[in-house]
Every structure is written in C-alpha cells, then in structure tokens.
C-alpha cells in the first residue's frame, strides 16, 4: 500500500492535486506539500474549461461560496477577434450543435444559412448571451439551460455526458490560497521551504527531497508540481521533454493585470485577439481584467510585445507592472516515471490558447487516482496512465495548430509563416477532409482530449476554412425544420437575454 505522497510545488497544480487526493482518499494516505517562498508561482492561468465543474463538485465545493473568494467570473466561451485580420470576431462557446434530420446545424448553415452573418450567431444560443454580457444564472441562482443544475458529486471527466454551458475565470493566486485552506483543513501537511536536493535510491527511485530548514521529506510517491522547472521529473530523473515549437512556435508571454475602466462592464467570455506576432488574452475577473500577449520571439522582441500589449489595453498605465514569461511548449515523453508523477507545467504545456493548462491538471489527477499504484508500481498501470495523458495533450496540440492553419490571416511575417509551417501529419489529413465535409467524431483527433467535433467545426468555420460546398444530400431534404430551428434559436436567445441579469450584477450578488 502507498501510505504517503509528497507534492513538490504549491501553484495551481500542487494545490489542486493535494485537495483532490484528500477528497478521494481522505486519511487513508498522508499528503505533504512543500513549496518554496523564494520561487514564485507562474501567476497566470485564469481561464478554465467547462469540465472544471467536475473538479469543484468532487471536492464538495459550492460555486456560490468559492467563486467570490477567488475574484471569479463566468466564461461562456471564447471570443476570437481579428483572426482574419479585418476586425471581425466570432465565438467558440461551450454549446453543442443542434441536429435536424440527422445533420448538424453547421451543415444546414452551410447549405441555407445567412452567410452575411457569422455562423455562431445563428446556430448557438450562447453567442447572444455573450453579446449582451449576460450571466448564465438567473438572480435566483438557476441555470439558463434546464437539467444541468445540482452537484455532480464525485464524478469525473469521463462522465461528462451533457455539455455544461460555462467555465470560470479566476485569480490563480486566490484559487491556490482557497485550495490550500481546503487541503490543510483536511490534513495535508504544508511545508514552506526550498527543495535543495532530490534524493534517489540505488535504482534511481526517489527516496526523499532535502529541504533547507525541514530536513528530508520522505514518501512513497512524489508528485512534481514545480512548474516549468520540472525539478523531479526532468532535472532529477532526466525524462526527455519533447518540444512542440516546430508546430506551435509561441514561446513567450507578457501579462498585465489591468483594472477595468468600467468595473460593471464585465464580459462572460475570454477574448483571444490576434496580434501582429501572436494573440492577446483578455480574462475578466470580478474587479479587474487579466491581459497577456502570447508571441513568438522569432518575430517580435519582449519590449515590442509589451509595448503592443500596453497600447491595446492600458495606454495610460505605465504604473502597471508587466510579467514576462518564457514558456516551455511540449510534453514529457512520459509524465509518470518510477515513483514520480509530473502534474501541471512540469508535465506539459501547449500554450494558453483555449485555456487547457488547468484542464490538463484536472485530467492528470483524475487519472492518477484511477491508476493509483501500490508499492509494486505495476508498469502496466504506469504505461496506461502515460498513454492517456500523452493522447490528451497530443489531441489539444493538433486542435491548437488547426487555429493557426485555418485562420485566414496572413498580413504579417508571423501570420504568413503560420501558413507554411509544419503541422502534424494526421492534422493535414483531417484538414484535407474538412474541405469536403465538416468534422465528426470519426474525423477529429480520435482520443479524449476535451474537445468535441462541435469545437473543431466552430473553429474552422469561424476562422474562414470551410468545406467548399454544402453536403449534396441537403439539397434533397426539406429545409423547413432546419429553418424553424434557426428561428427558434433566435427567439430563445431574445428571451434569455431579456430574463438573465448581467454577468456583473449576478456576481455582485454573490460578492455581497
Ligand atoms: C502565459 C501563460 C498563460 C496561461 N493561461 C492559462 C489559462 O488561461 N488557463 C489555463 O488553464 N492555464 C493557463 N496557463 C497554464 C497555468 O498557468 C498552469 O497550468 C497552472 O498555473 C499550473 O502551474 P503549476 O502549478 O504547474 O506551476 P507554478 O505556478 O509555476 O508553480 C510552481 C510551484 O513550484 C514551487 N517550486 C519551484 N521550485 C521549487 C523548489 N526548489 N522547492 C520548493 N518549491 C519549488 C514554486 O514555489 C511554486 O509553488 C497559462 C500558462 C502560461 C505560461
């Protein structure tokens, strides 16, 4: 039996892991978390994925309690701005496509939709809520879609059957602090100290970590949550890190925390705006926005990127301090090696587009619990874990490369190069197929990676890459029901916009 787990690192990954292990195994295992006061957290990672609700429900936490304590906001999707280079925008919401007579509304839109307006405004209800900056909850707390309210209890990502309509924005440091209280109240030992040396036995397995002031911390299983440093998994165990920079070249970011001009003007979505050499995020938290420019230093210097970011979001605020971050893009060949499991940035990072960092953490800890070892550390269990983790990351990698390949923007050296850059071979085949037919579950990346075919289709159509003509079959079908469905979405959207409070007003009621 494994009795003790040592987690090194107290960022989002460390505290999510500590909390989850306690929620899963309670006092049947001892958990120690050691974090350095001298090495700061990455300090970004404020937008999430709709599956995050499984995490908070698993911990038994109520949104109305934790969200206001983490400066939280709602995220109904992502608004992509200027990815054509002409100022247009579209939404990629957390909403599946409706189906009429066996064909998705995206297929119907290609055949009979109004092509003078973006597809997302016609096929998704959520786009209207984003446009009107509405909360997904009524003032009485009920959700705008029926049947999805209530706690899921101890469910995992694999049980996500219905598409939950939103995710969260939150302050990464406040989430870490909130989860720290949760975990320590449930018995996690918290050590604030610097790990100076990682000790190994004669077979290379980790036997302990030597700290500056608390001696050697020993355990059966070690979780490396040390961020991009990968102190256990890479520096000690020498695990190979496979870079994705050949296909995803953004390797730096510069972030700013910006007070909102009008505090109440709070959007319920993340914005991803294409810039000259990358893209910029805007993440609305309750009282401020998080902003950042993700770019490739082959095309722009950090100084130029900071200047472009400041001009875009805070032209008069020289007092705001910029956080320059170097990103390690790629994944470990294996994230679980011997008795060490890397979770968070020490395991993998694709880049912040589509906000998958915290999703990877959640996926990793769920899988760690499902594959939790005994002292034999069965290699088959470890292999199964690594296979799942790698597949999820590789799927997201493909999906992100698609964003750059499918975008019609090609006006700067960065965007021109994105069209000729290498791409994973299977993605090239998938994009070829998409010239004839929209994606379905058979033609997207075939293993679990968090995104469904509706996401792949939202992105290619929004980005301007779409089948050359509608499916021939649709010309033989009666379009009456499809047209009625387009009208129904319009009517439902207008009703919802009228009934729902603004995103800010609803959150203000939770913050009272
Ligand atoms: C620019 C950028 C934007 C991002 N945006 C998003 C987003 O919008 N959504 C999303 O889901 N994800 C995002 N991510 C990813 C997200 O930030 C991370 O997945 C998340 O913050 C987890 O980080 P971490 O805990 O792995 O690492 P960190 O936050 O870096 O924490 C590392 C921890 O290790 C400790 N440590 C390091 N060395 C030692 C030592 N020697 N001894 C003891 N402790 C040590 C540090 O003190 C710290 O506590 C983004 C990442 C980047 C780079």
């Amino acid at each position: 039996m494994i009795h003790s787990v040592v987690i090194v690192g107290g960022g989002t990954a460390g505290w999510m892991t500590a909390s989850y292990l306690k929620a899963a195994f309670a006092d049947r295992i001892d958990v120690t978390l050691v974090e350095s006061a001298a090495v700061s957290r990455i300090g970004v990672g404020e937008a999430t994925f709709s599956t995050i609700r499984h995490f908070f429900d698993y911990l038994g936490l109520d949104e109305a309690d934790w969200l206001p304590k983490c400066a939280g906001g709602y995220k109904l999707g992502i608004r992509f701005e200027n990815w054509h280079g002409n100022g247009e925008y579209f939404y990629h919401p957390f909403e599946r496509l409706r189906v009429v007579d066996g064909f998705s509304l995206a297929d119907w839109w290609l055949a009979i939709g109004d092509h003078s307006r973006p597809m997302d405004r016609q096929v998704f209800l959520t786009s209207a809520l984003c446009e009107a900056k509405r909360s997904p909850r009524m003032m009485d707390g009920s959700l705008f879609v029926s049947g999805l309210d209530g706690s899921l209890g101890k469910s995992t990502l694999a049980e996500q059957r219905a598409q939950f309509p939103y995710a969260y924005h939150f302050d990464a440091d406040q989430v870490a602090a909130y989860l720290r209280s949760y975990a320590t109240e449930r018995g996690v030992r918290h050590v604030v100290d610097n790990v100076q040396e990682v000790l190994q036995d004669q077979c290379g397995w980790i036997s302990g970590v030597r700290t500056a002031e608390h001696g050697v911390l020993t355990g059966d299983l070690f979780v490396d949550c040390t961020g991009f440093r990968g102190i256990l998994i890479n520096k000690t165990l020498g695990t190979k890190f496979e870079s994705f920079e050949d296909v995803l070249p953004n390797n730096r970011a510069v972030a700013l925390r910006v007070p909102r001009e009008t505090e109440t003007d709070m959007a319920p979505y993340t914005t991803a705006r294409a810039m000259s050499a990358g893209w910029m995020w805007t993440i609305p938290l309750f009282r401020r926005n998080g902003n950042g420019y993700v770019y490739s230093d082959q095309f722009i210097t950090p100084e130029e990127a900071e200047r472009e970011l400041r001009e875009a979001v805070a032209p008069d605020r020289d007092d705001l301090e910029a956080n320059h971050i170097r990103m390690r893009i790629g994944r470990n060949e294996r994230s679980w090696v011997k008795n060490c499991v890397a979770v968070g940035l020490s395991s993998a990072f694709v880049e912040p587009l589509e906000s998958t960092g915290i999703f990877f953490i959640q996926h990793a800890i769920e899988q760690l619990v499902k594959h939790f070892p005994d002292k034999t550390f069965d290699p088959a269990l470890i292999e199964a874990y690594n296979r799942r983790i790698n597949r999820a990351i590789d799927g997201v990698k493909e999906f992100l490369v698609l964003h750059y390949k499918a975008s019609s923007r090609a006006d700067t050296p960065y965007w021109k190069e994105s069209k000729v850059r290498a791409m994973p071979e299977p993605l090239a085949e998938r994009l070829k197929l998409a010239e004839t037919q929209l994606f379905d579950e058979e033609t997207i990346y075939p293993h679990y990676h968090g995104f469904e075919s509706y996401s792949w289709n939202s992105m290619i159509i929004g980005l301007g890459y779409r089948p050359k003509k509608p499916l021939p079959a649709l010309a033989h079908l009666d379009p009456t029901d499809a047209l009625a469905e387009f009208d129904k979405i319009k009517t439902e959207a207008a009703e919802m916009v009228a009934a729902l409070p603004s995103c800010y007003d609803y959150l203000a009621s939770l913050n009272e």
Side-chain angles (χ1 to χ4, degrees), residues 8-15 34-49 172 193-196 225-229 231 252-255 270 281 283 294 325-327 343-346 348-349 351-352 354-361:
V8 185
T12 313
W15 286 114
V34 52
E35 66 174 314
S36 168
V39 183
S40 54
R41 300 185 184 116
I42 196 92
V44 284
E46 300 177 327
T48 58
F49 218 62
D193 205 341
N194 209 41
V195 168
Q196 297 182 317
C225 295
T226 59
F228 286 136
R229 288 174 182 78
I231 290 174
R252 278 177 172 266
V254 49
T270 305
W281 77 77
I283 298 177
V294 180
I325 301 163
R326 225 179 246 283
M327 303 189 297
V343 175
L345 297 173
S346 57
F349 188 53
E351 72 139 289
E354 295 284 354
S355 328
T356 51
I358 294 167
F359 162 71
F360 286 150
I361 295 171

Side-chain angles (χ1 to χ4, degrees), residues 399-435:
F399 184 52
L400 294 199
V401 176
L402 171 144
H403 288 54
Y404 296 97
K405 288 289 170 192
S407 155
S408 60
R409 185 165 179 175
D411 60 338
T412 65
Y414 173 91
W415 288 99
K416 284 190 181 110
E417 203 264 347
S418 74
K419 304 298 171 292
V420 293
R421 192 184 303 139
M423 73 171 128
E425 190 52 40
L427 177 64
E429 285 166 28
R430 281 185 237 294
L431 282 173
K432 183 84 196 121
L433 274 174
E435 287 178 9

Side-chain angles (χ1 to χ4, degrees), residues 481-509:
D481 289 349
L483 289 167
E485 200 60 41
F486 284 121
D487 282 343
K488 200 165 151 220
I489 289 172
K490 213 187 292 174
T491 314
E492 281 174 23
E495 285 168 5
M496 285 301 159
V497 167
L500 288 162
S502 77
C503 181
Y504 182 86
D505 283 349
Y506 181 73
L507 291 165
S509 75

Side-chain angles (χ1 to χ4, degrees), residues 175-197:
V175 166
Y178 188 91
L179 294 177
R180 183 179 64 223
S181 306
Y182 176 97
T184 50
E185 277 162 21
R186 283 160 184 78
V188 170
R189 181 180 169 216
H190 182 202
V191 177
V192 180
D193 205 341
N194 209 41
V195 168
Q196 297 182 317
E197 188 187 359

